[in-house]
């Protein structure tokens, strides 16, 4: 397993720094590991991003970061923690990550938007990491794609920041540009 290093200070990074960290994020090749399913991890990721083991929250952020690096979404939609030797199911209430902070540089088509996740990971919204809104009975649920089938729910305060930016620009439909891609902020 990779070492779990503390995340960089998001506030002190430029968007170029963030993009470099995101691109350099060396994750294990979980997509290449296909051991037999070994059982259940007895872990759950709550919709607020809290990780639980056997009903108790995992209090060590380094452990959560480490587990998050071996998380994979299966073709059937389920989630597993996978190593070369074992594959264990993990329950995910909504999305496995939460985007808790946003940083913006530029305006309009020249804008770049980056997110810091609850795990410390950094994601820049672009064509490979799109933003999308899913309308549910309790209102809109905004997401950003983190990697291969794994999304981050965008925290409500961060979503409101995004909506304010979009409304200030007056685009029709309301939306935001990031890294040359336009993301409508209406439900899909």
């Amino acid at each position: 397993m990779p070492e779990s290093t503390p995340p960089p200070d998001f506030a002190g990074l430029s968007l170029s720094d963030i993009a470099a960290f995101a691109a350099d994020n060396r994750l294990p090749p979980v997509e290449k590991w296909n051991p037999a399913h070994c059982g259940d991890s007895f872990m759950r990721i709550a919709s607020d991003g809290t990780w639980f083991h056997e009903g108790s929250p995992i209090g060590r952020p380094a452990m959560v970061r480490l587990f998050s690096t071996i998380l994979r979404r299966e073709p059937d939609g389920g989630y597993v923690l996978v190593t070369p030797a074992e594959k264990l199911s993990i329950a995910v209430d909504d999305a496995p990550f939460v985007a808790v902070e946003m940083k913006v540089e530029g305006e309009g088509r020249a804008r770049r938007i980056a997110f810091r996740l609850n795990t410390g990971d950094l994601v820049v919204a672009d064509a490979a990491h799109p933003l999308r809104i899913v309308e549910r009975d309790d209102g809109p649920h905004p997401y950003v794609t983190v990697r291969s089938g794994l999304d981050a729910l965008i925290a409500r305060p961060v979503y409101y920041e995004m909506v304010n930016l979009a409304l200030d620009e007056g685009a029709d439909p309301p939306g935001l540009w990031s890294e040359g891609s336009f993301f409508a902020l209406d439900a899909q």
Side-chain angles (χ1 to χ4, degrees):
M1 274 193 205
E3 286 184 38
S4 181
T5 57
D9 175 32
F10 190 70
L13 297 174
S14 72
L15 258 293
S16 295
D17 294 336
I18 291 169
F21 273 111
D24 195 37
N25 193 2
R26 292 185 185 96
L27 295 169
V30 296
E31 68 283 349
K32 295 180 182 178
W33 297 338
N34 293 301
H37 189 267
C38 298
D40 195 318
S41 68
F42 302 103
M43 293 174 69
R44 177 177 73 89
I45 305 171
S47 58
D48 69 356
T50 303
W51 287 58
F52 291 87
H53 181 256
E54 295 183 342
S56 297
I58 299 174
R60 293 181 52 206
M63 288 298 296
V64 169
R65 277 194 299 278
L66 185 60
F67 284 130
S68 76
T69 66
I70 59 169
L71 182 65
R72 181 174 79 192
R73 186 114 192 229
E74 295 290 90
D76 67 2
Y79 295 88
V80 294
L81 297 172
V82 64
T83 69
E86 62 185 349
K87 178 167 54 172
L88 302 170
S89 301
I90 180 171
V92 177
D93 291 355
D94 188 346
F97 303 101
V98 178
V100 295
E101 192 175 352
M102 177 177 74
K103 189 162 195 166
V104 178
E105 285 182 0
E107 295 180 4
R109 291 178 184 262
R111 176 180 291 115
R112 298 171 82 189
I113 303 171
F115 298 93
R116 183 178 60 81
L117 308 182
N118 60 314
T119 55
D121 293 303
L122 304 174
V123 178
V124 176
D126 59 18
H129 304 93
L131 301 173
R132 65 184 172 82
I133 309 294
V134 175
E135 189 65 42
R136 299 210 178 116
D137 291 340
D138 61 346
H141 287 241
Y143 299 92
V144 61
T145 299
V146 176
R147 62 181 180 266
S148 189
L150 301 177
D151 291 331
L153 175 66
I154 298 172
R156 195 62 59 190
V158 176
Y159 174 59
Y160 292 153
E161 285 182 63
M162 292 169 50
V163 169
N164 283 333
L165 279 172
L167 292 176
D168 286 347
E169 287 192 353
D172 187 22
L176 295 171
W177 288 90
S178 182
E179 290 289 352
S181 294
F182 182 78
F183 303 105
L185 295 183
D186 55 356
Q188 300 174 0

